[in-house]
Amino acid sequence: QASLVRQLEWYLGGGIKFKAFDDHDNDKNHDDNHHSSAAGVRIPFGLQYFVVPKAELFGEIVPGIYLFPDTDFDMDGGIGVRYYF
């Protein structure tokens, strides 16, 4: 059981986020060529479990704030597998 705990680690990071999307639902003129984008910062934190030295399973929660075009709080999350080359 102690060896399982040694393979479990937490992490904290930071980065930027960018989103491009079709804003047709918010377009009053119903212009089919209207697209929008947003940019901001994100701070992922989570747990990672190293199955073998180069492969890990992870789960994370990622709070963020969009700064452009408007200021808006956002929350993401994820689970997955990472392999290091």
Side-chain angles (χ1 to χ4, degrees), residues 1 5-6 8 10-13 16-18 22 25 28 32 48-49 51-53 57 59-60 63 68-69 76 82 84:
Q1 190 175 15
V5 174
R6 283 192 297 250
L8 184 65
W10 70 277
Y11 62 90
L12 176 67
I16 59 173
K17 60 191 318 175
F18 178 78
D22 183 359
D25 292 337
K28 294 177 184 162
D32 289 335
Q48 56 192 16
Y49 176 75
V51 180
V52 293
L57 303 172
E60 65 184 13
F68 170 83
D76 293 319
R82 287 187 186 112
Y84 298 94

Side-chain angles (χ1 to χ4, degrees), residues 51-66:
V51 180
V52 293
K54 290 190 169 193
E56 70 176 80
L57 303 172
F58 72 91
E60 65 184 13
I61 296 174
V62 189
I65 299 174
Y66 282 107

Side-chain angles (χ1 to χ4, degrees), residues 12-44:
L12 176 67
I16 59 173
K17 60 191 318 175
F18 178 78
K19 177 169 71 171
F21 53 93
D22 183 359
D23 200 17
H24 187 308
D25 292 337
N26 294 324
D27 185 10
K28 294 177 184 162
N29 297 326
H30 299 292
D31 180 5
D32 289 335
N33 295 321
H34 189 234
H35 298 280
S36 288
S37 59
V41 295
R42 62 191 303 262
I43 303 171

